[in-house]
Amino acid sequence: EFIDSYYFNKLEYTRFSSSVGKFVGFTEYGVRNAEYWNNDASFLSAMRAQKEVYCLNHVPVYYSNVLTKS
């Protein structure tokens, strides 16, 4: 799962989760940002593609390294 969280003063205001597939806002400002970003189709599809960029390429390497050390 790919999660991209946005914080200000230790307070999370917006989060993108690949399992949800869209941005979710937690504060008034975060809800406005989430609505704006969710309406931008190109930005939303780019964030959905980040799962393949980060997770699918790196997880097998990290997983094999953990197994060799145990």
Side-chain angles (χ1 to χ4, degrees), residues 1-69:
E1 181 178 12
F2 176 74
I3 297 174
D4 191 16
S5 299
Y6 297 87
Y7 291 87
F8 182 73
N9 283 343
K10 300 180 184 179
L11 178 66
E12 183 178 22
Y13 62 91
T14 308
R15 176 190 299 168
F16 176 83
S17 176
S18 64
S19 62
V20 177
K22 65 178 185 173
F23 286 92
V24 178
F26 299 106
T27 64
E28 182 181 343
Y29 177 69
V31 169
R32 285 196 316 248
N33 278 341
E35 288 176 7
Y36 178 75
W37 290 335
N38 287 333
N39 289 328
D40 187 358
S42 64
F43 185 61
L44 195 58
S45 65
M47 290 303 292
R48 288 179 180 154
Q50 292 301 311
K51 180 178 180 181
E52 285 80 22
V53 172
Y54 288 106
C55 300
L56 297 181
N57 291 328
H58 293 95
V59 167
V61 174
Y62 294 138
Y63 188 70
S64 65
N65 286 336
V66 168
L67 289 180
T68 60
K69 296 187 186 334

